[in-house]
C-alpha cells in the first residue's frame, strides 16, 4: 500500500518480523481474554437475566478490539484475526513468511487467552456451546460482514476511523448472528479451552472454521469487485 496510508497495515513494514508477530500474539491474547472473561463475568452478574449476557459481551469485545487496534496497530497492523492476515496474503499485500508468523502468533495468543480466562475465573466449565454444523451459515455471514467492513476501511484510507468502524460493526455482528459471531479462528481455538458462555464444543469447531473461511472468501470477492485496487486510479 505504498504511498497511501491505510488501516490494518503496519506503519513500518521494515520493523523486525518477530516484533510485529509478537504484537499480533499479544493483541490476540488480550482480545480473547477480554472476550471469554467478559462472557464469564456477564453470566455471573446477570444470572437471573440471561438476555443481558450477549449484548454486554458484545460491547466488551468491541471495546477491547478498538483499544487494541488503536494502541498496537501501528506496529503490526492490528489484525488479531487470521482471516485478515490470510486475505491480505491472498490479495498480494503480505508475503508468505510474514503471514505464517502472524497466523501462528494469533493462534497461540488465542489459545493462551482462552486458557487464561478459565484460570482466572476458575470453577467448572459448564456445558460447551455451539450450534455444530447448523452454525456454519451463521459464521459465514458473520465473517463475511466483518471482513467486508475491515477491508472496506482499508480501501477507504481513513486510518483513524477504521478501528471504530470495525468495533461498531462487531457489536451488531455478535448480536445479529445465531453463533454470536466468533468470526475468528483464534477465538474459536481459545473458546475450546475456556469456560463460560463462549466455551465451544469440539464438534462445532470444524463447521465454524469452515464457515469463517467461506465468509472471508465471499468478502474478498466483494471487495475486489466493489473497491478499486490499492493505487488504482
Amino acid at each position: 500500500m505504498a504511498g497511501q496510508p491505510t488501516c490494518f497495515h503496519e506503519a513500518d513494514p521494515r520493523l523486525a518480523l518477530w516484533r510485529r508477530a509478537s504484537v499480533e500474539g499479544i493483541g490476540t491474547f488480550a482480545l480473547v481474554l477480554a472476550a471469554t472473561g467478559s462472557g464469564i463475568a456477564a453470566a455471573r452478574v446477570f444470572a437471573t437475566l440471561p438476555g443481558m449476557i450477549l449484548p454486554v459481551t458484545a460491547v466488551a469485545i468491541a471495546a477491547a478490539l478498538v483499544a487494541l487496534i488503536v494502541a498496537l496497530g501501528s506496529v503490526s497492523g492490528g489484525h488479531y484475526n487470521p482471516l485478515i492476515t490470510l486475505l491480505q496474503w491472498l490479495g498480494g499485500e503480505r508475503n508468505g513468511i510474514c503471514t505464517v508468523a502472524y497466523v501462528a502468533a494469533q493462534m497461540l495468543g488465542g489459545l493462551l487467552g482462552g486458557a487464561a480466562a478459565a484460570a482466572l475465573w476458575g470453577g467448572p466449565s459448564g456445558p460447551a456451546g455451539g450450534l455444530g454444523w447448523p452454525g456454519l451459515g451463521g459464521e459465514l455471514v458473520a465473517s463475511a460482514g466483518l471482513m467486508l467492513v475491515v477491508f472496506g476501511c482499508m480501501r477507504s484510507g481513513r486510518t483513524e476511523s477504521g478501528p471504530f468502524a470495525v468495533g461498531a460493526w462487531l457489536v451488531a455482528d455478535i448480536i445479529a448472528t445465531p453463533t454470536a459471531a466468533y468470526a475468528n479462528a483464534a477465538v474459536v481455538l481459545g473458546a475450546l479451552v475456556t469456560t463460560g458462555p463462549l466455551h465451544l464444543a469440539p464438534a462445532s469447531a470444524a463447521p465454524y472454521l469452515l464457515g469463517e473461511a467461506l465468509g472471508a472468501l465471499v468478502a474478498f470477492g466483494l471487495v475486489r469487485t466493489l473497491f478499486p485496487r490499492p493505487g488504482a486510479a
Side-chain angles (χ1 to χ4, degrees):
M1 307 289 292
Q4 180 183 357
T6 180
C7 49
F8 302 105
H9 285 81
E10 52 271 57
D12 184 5
R14 297 169 299 179
L15 192 66
L17 178 57
W18 72 266
R19 292 181 185 275
R20 292 182 279 131
S22 294
V23 166
E24 282 298 303
I26 293 168
T28 308
F29 168 85
L31 174 62
V32 175
L33 176 61
T36 54
S38 65
I40 298 168
R44 296 188 181 187
V45 172
F46 298 105
T48 60
L49 295 169
M52 290 294 296
I53 296 173
L54 186 61
V56 168
T57 304
V59 171
I61 293 170
L65 182 58
V66 170
L68 290 166
I69 295 172
V70 171
L72 304 175
S74 64
V75 178
S76 68
H79 299 184
Y80 320 129
N81 187 332
L83 295 179
I84 299 174
T85 304
L86 288 169
L87 289 190
Q88 285 189 354
W89 169 75
L90 192 61
E93 301 172 29
R94 191 167 299 278
N95 66 44
I97 294 175
C98 180
T99 299
V100 170
Y102 270 34
V103 171
Q106 291 157 357
M107 297 301 280
L108 178 60
L111 180 66
L112 294 177
L120 287 171
W121 284 94
S125 63
L131 302 178
W133 285 102
L136 186 151
E139 282 301 292
L140 189 158
V141 171
S143 300
L146 180 59
M147 292 303 105
L148 186 61
V149 172
V150 167
F151 280 82
C153 289
M154 285 187 207
R155 296 296 185 264
S156 74
R158 299 173 66 178
T159 59
E160 298 302 323
S161 60
F164 301 96
V166 171
W169 171 256
L170 193 58
V171 173
D173 210 14
I174 291 171
I175 295 173
T177 52
T179 56
Y182 286 70
N184 184 333
V187 173
V188 169
L189 188 59
L192 292 172
V193 298
T194 196
T195 64
L198 266 71
H199 182 37
L200 194 64
S204 290
Y208 278 33
L209 292 173
L210 178 58
E212 289 165 6
L214 293 174
L217 290 175
V218 169
F220 183 77
L222 288 173
V223 169
R224 301 281 283 191
T225 301
L226 300 175
F227 292 87
R229 293 186 179 184

